[in-house]
Amino acid sequence: MRLTFLFILFTCLTFGQEKPIIFYNESGEKISKQDFIKTKDYRKNLDLYFENDTTQIALLVTRKKFGQLDKTTFESLKNYLTVLTDKAIDSTQNIVINYLTAYPKKKENRNFRSTWNVLHRDYTRKLHKIANINQFWIHSTKCENLYYNYHRRLNWIEDKDNLFKKLFFPYEVRYGNYILIKPDGKFFYYLGEHSKYHIWENAEKYFK
């Protein structure tokens, strides 16, 4: 009887060490695992995972978002870009920002250089034909892939104060993000893996 009790107690303690998982949708609402799996759609959202001392968290994040920067925030962003690039920002131009995240890590890169077509020379050439655009290449402070991403040809600039992270990208997703910003502060961003064709298509729609 005592041995049975000890076995049951040990089993409970062992299972108790496994952290529970809590699932959340894009609105930050707690949902069931079944609803999480059912709602997950790579075309619309990304599934991200975190954990603390007691809990694992599974979170869905919307990939596309439209928004409006208030005047003060937009001016701060342009001043920040001016400081980072040592170049005044033309207030009449649209802004396109390619934001390089921390993932994949350097050790995950098997190729000598990236084959990502956003890094092709024709990407910016066509982009400037679409609209009057000021293009910036910004990278996360945790990024260690600059050589892999042609840092000598492209002027990757570190998001030193994490302003873009605070405003747009609180989560480090894989393969970068991009933002389109109009002169009035209206913006559109897209999270995660994308191609130059995706940016061209959305720039044509958004800046027309």
Side-chain angles (χ1 to χ4, degrees):
M1 185 72 174
R2 180 178 174 80
L3 288 174
T4 303
F5 172 78
L6 289 175
F7 175 77
I8 294 173
L9 178 60
F10 177 77
T11 303
C12 290
L13 289 174
T14 302
F15 281 113
Q17 291 174 358
E18 185 175 340
K19 298 177 183 178
I21 303 177
I22 302 176
F23 298 89
Y24 294 92
N25 63 17
E26 298 95 329
S27 301
E29 300 168 335
K30 191 182 297 186
I31 58 176
S32 68
K33 179 180 180 179
Q34 291 74 18
D35 286 340
F36 184 88
I37 294 172
K38 183 178 179 181
T39 309
K40 185 169 64 173
D41 182 346
Y42 189 69
R43 295 169 300 175
K44 300 177 181 179
N45 54 44
L46 297 173
D47 52 321
L48 307 179
Y49 302 89
F50 316 91
E51 65 177 284
N52 55 32
D53 293 338
T54 59
T55 310
Q56 298 179 71
I57 296 172
L59 173 68
L60 292 175
V61 178
T62 303
R63 299 193 73 177
K64 296 188 288 187
K65 181 179 179 180
F66 292 90
Q68 171 75 61
L69 295 171
D70 62 68
K71 186 176 181 180
T72 301
T73 302
F74 192 29
E75 287 303 315
S76 296
L77 185 147
K78 288 188 287 186
N79 289 336
Y80 181 60
L81 284 173
T82 297
V83 171
L84 290 180
T85 61
D86 196 27
K87 182 178 69 174
I89 305 302
D90 186 339
S91 61
T92 66
Q93 288 183 308
N94 300 292
I95 294 173
V96 175
I97 295 168
N98 291 93
Y99 189 91
L100 191 63
T101 60
Y103 300 104
K105 290 292 187 180
K106 190 174 183 179
K107 62 183 179 181
E108 297 179 50
N109 295 329
R110 297 181 180 179
N111 297 323
F112 186 67
R113 290 292 180 90
S114 173
T115 57
W116 188 24
N117 63 22
V118 171
L119 305 177
H120 293 176
R121 294 179 186 275
D122 67 337
Y123 161 65
T124 50
R125 285 200 295 265
K126 180 164 181 177
L127 198 61
H128 289 299
K129 292 179 181 179
I130 292 173
N132 184 18
I133 286 171
N134 203 346
Q135 163 77 39
F136 297 94
W137 303 87
I138 308 293
H139 69 85
S140 162
T141 56
K142 297 180 181 179
C143 178
E144 53 184 38
N145 276 334
L146 296 184
Y147 180 77
Y148 179 71
N149 289 283
Y150 296 87
H151 75 294
R152 291 186 178 179
R153 178 166 59 82
L154 302 173
N155 185 27
W156 287 108
I157 301 168
E158 184 180 6
D159 185 14
K160 294 180 180 179
D161 295 337
N162 287 314
L163 181 63
F164 289 98
K165 180 179 177 65
K166 294 171 186 174
L167 286 178
F168 306 107
F169 312 127
Y171 308 111
E172 290 279 7
V173 303
R174 294 179 68 84
Y175 302 116
N177 315 301
Y178 70 87
I179 322 168
L180 312 178
I181 309 177
K182 294 181 178 181
D184 61 0
K186 291 180 181 176
F187 69 85
F188 164 81
Y189 74 57
Y190 188 85
L191 307 183
E193 188 174 9
H194 57 272
S195 69
K196 62 184 180 183
Y197 305 105
H198 194 274
I199 300 176
W200 289 341
E201 180 182 355
N202 282 299
E204 287 178 339
K205 292 177 183 177
Y206 197 63
F207 293 141
K208 66 179 180 181

